[in-house]
Amino acid sequence: MITQKEIAERLGISRTTVARAINGSPLIKEETKRKILELVKETNYEKNYVGSSLGTRKSKKVYSLVVESKNEFYTQEILRGIKIISEEYKAYNYKIDIKTTDINDPKKQIKELKEILKKEDIDGLIITPLDRDSVFKILEPYLDKIKVISLGIRLNKNIPHVGPDHQKQGEIAAGLMSNLLRDGEKVLIIDNGDDKVSSKLYLDGFMNRISRASLTIEGPIDGGGIEKSVELLKERLKKGDIKGLYINRYSHDILDRIEKKELTGIKIVTNGIGKIIKKLIKERIITLTVMEEISSEGYTAGKRMFEMLYKEKVFKGHCDVSKSHIILYENLED
């Protein structure tokens, strides 16, 4: 019988991509999926659960504490990735119970975590730790009993982690901004603080790279939140000397409240993605955005947990960094 590895070798792709196509994952391109499934049919490949010792193992229960961001798209994509891997591996009695907590309420997450740890059926935990020190202190006595993976925010150097390099993404955004502008042109940078996941790191990376460009830098200026940032930006745009704009947090909400004519001729670069950012790119207000593979982060965290629980793989200190993508009008997908 042909194996997934042999199918992958024939097509010059990874075994993971083959497995995703066979399991019906939407995380690969339709053209790639079509080629894989055609070869699967030609070679009479049969998915074999019974032949694997994994299929007969007892069920494993994983709890996932995912944060609810103001950017609903981010939250939904993380959840989508986790649900996809849970569905793909359900034949192995692998179950993921997802719970969400507000990104601005670390105390509630701590309370939820303590309740989860009381459960007798817990085998693993996937968590985006809002208060890293407190979360690790609570989890430390349980690390010999349950498997833990951090998602989005790194918990500890000894705990497996899945997430993007937010600082690098900020650097990429700044590098692209410097290429969009002429020497000496002015870039306005508005800082709306730390969301405990990405915004501070985005800004750190952006400033690290943009400071080396031959541009005039104004900021980072404290935005003071969405409404104050809107007023600040409107006043600043009246001077007419701003050629580039970067906002590390709430950019979509702020830009959506500004008249398009006021932003004409300004190169706007952002980090992240969502419905409003997509709309603003379509309207040619945002020039481009740098984003990570959000759903693949949830998917990868669930997969790594499966490998730890069922295959006894060790990922101590391991870090899966998701790829960065540059999205602009020309390659924007609905």
Side-chain angles (χ1 to χ4, degrees):
M1 183 187 294
I2 193 168
T3 65
Q4 290 184 11
K5 182 180 179 182
E6 289 169 331
I7 292 173
E9 289 173 348
R10 286 196 190 187
L11 295 175
I13 56 179
S14 71
R15 183 184 173 284
T16 300
T17 301
V18 174
R20 285 182 176 180
I22 292 171
N23 289 317
S25 171
L27 297 178
I28 59 174
K29 294 180 179 178
E30 285 301 318
E31 178 65 16
T32 303
K33 185 185 292 185
R34 182 185 63 78
K35 290 180 180 179
I36 294 168
L37 295 180
E38 284 178 358
L39 185 55
V40 163
K41 186 176 180 180
E42 288 173 14
T43 55
N44 294 317
Y45 170 85
E46 290 185 11
K47 193 172 179 181
N48 185 5
Y49 289 119
V50 179
S52 169
S53 62
L54 296 178
T56 59
R57 293 191 182 185
K58 72 173 212 175
S59 64
K60 297 290 185 180
K61 183 70 169 288
V62 175
Y63 288 87
S64 179
L65 271 174
V66 176
V67 296
E68 290 181 353
S69 170
K70 183 172 177 57
N71 183 346
E72 293 181 6
F73 180 84
Y74 172 86
T75 304
Q76 293 306 314
E77 284 296 284
I78 288 288
L79 295 176
R80 185 168 76 92
I82 294 173
K83 289 174 182 176
I84 289 170
I85 193 66
S86 182
E87 182 67 21
E88 286 185 13
Y89 287 148
K90 69 178 182 180
Y92 300 119
N93 297 315
Y94 178 55
K95 301 175 183 178
I96 304 179
D97 188 338
I98 304 172
K99 298 183 180 296
T100 59
T101 53
D102 190 333
I103 194 171
N104 296 312
D105 195 349
K107 289 183 179 179
K108 186 175 180 181
Q109 186 187 64
I110 293 292
K111 183 179 179 181
E112 192 75 59
L113 175 61
K114 289 179 178 178
E115 289 300 313
I116 287 173
L117 292 173
K118 292 177 183 177
K119 299 181 181 295
E120 295 182 0
D121 63 348
I122 181 171
D123 296 294
L125 175 73
I126 298 170
I127 184 170
T128 302
L130 296 174
D131 183 342
R132 290 186 297 180
D133 292 340
S134 296
V135 168
F136 185 72
K137 186 176 180 180
I138 292 167
L139 284 175
E140 202 166 12
Y142 296 87
L143 294 179
D144 290 335
K145 303 174 184 177
I146 65 172
K147 306 297 183 184
V148 178
I149 292 178
S150 58
L151 175 62
I153 301 174
R154 184 141 199 178
L155 177 58
N156 181 274
K157 64 180 181 180
N158 295 319
I159 301 293
H161 174 71
V162 177
D165 185 337
H166 292 116
Q167 185 160 330
K168 182 179 180 181
Q169 289 182 333
E171 290 177 355
I172 293 171
L176 292 166
M177 177 72 83
S178 66
N179 288 327
L180 289 168
L181 301 178
R182 298 186 181 93
D183 288 357
E185 289 188 322
K186 183 171 287 187
V187 179
L188 174 64
I189 302 163
I190 297 177
D191 175 15
N192 269 306
D194 186 3
D195 64 0
K196 300 182 179 68
V197 177
S198 59
S199 61
K200 181 181 183 301
L201 295 171
Y202 283 152
L203 183 63
D204 289 346
F206 190 90
M207 294 306 301
N208 181 54
R209 176 64 182 83
I210 206 72
S211 62
R212 303 198 302 271
S214 299
L215 299 170
T216 302
I217 311 300
E218 182 175 335
I221 297 173
D222 181 7
I226 296 170
E227 298 303 329
K228 288 184 179 179
S229 291
V230 170
E231 295 305 313
L232 183 157
L233 184 54
K234 283 181 177 180
E235 284 299 313
R236 191 61 195 79
L237 289 172
K238 290 177 182 178
K239 294 185 179 181
D241 60 341
I242 300 298
K243 299 300 179 183
L245 174 65
Y246 178 79
I247 307 171
N248 70 324
R249 189 182 184 194
Y250 307 135
S251 59
H252 55 297
D253 289 312
I254 295 163
L255 295 169
D256 200 38
R257 288 166 167 77
I258 306 288
E259 291 289 334
K260 185 176 180 179
K261 62 183 180 181
E262 296 181 66
L263 298 168
T264 300
I266 298 175
K267 303 299 183 184
I268 301 174
V269 174
T270 63
N271 283 110
I273 196 71
K275 290 180 181 179
I276 299 177
I277 287 182
K278 284 185 176 182
K279 178 178 79 76
L280 294 172
I281 292 174
K282 285 180 181 178
E283 294 173 354
R284 303 296 183 99
I285 293 173
I286 291 179
T287 308
L288 60 87
T289 191
V290 181
M291 60 164 285
E292 67 265 27
E293 292 182 345
I294 305 171
S295 61
S296 72
E297 292 170 21
Y299 182 94
T300 301
K303 183 178 180 181
R304 290 285 179 254
M305 180 60 74
F306 175 86
E307 292 169 335
M308 291 166 69
L309 292 173
Y310 285 83
K311 298 183 179 181
E312 298 179 355
K313 285 192 176 183
V314 177
F315 297 107
K316 189 175 183 180
H318 180 81
C319 183
D320 281 287
V321 180
S322 61
K323 295 179 181 178
S324 297
H325 295 280
I326 300 165
I327 307 296
L328 56 164
Y329 180 84
E330 287 72 15
N331 69 344
L332 180 66
E333 297 179 358
D334 292 328

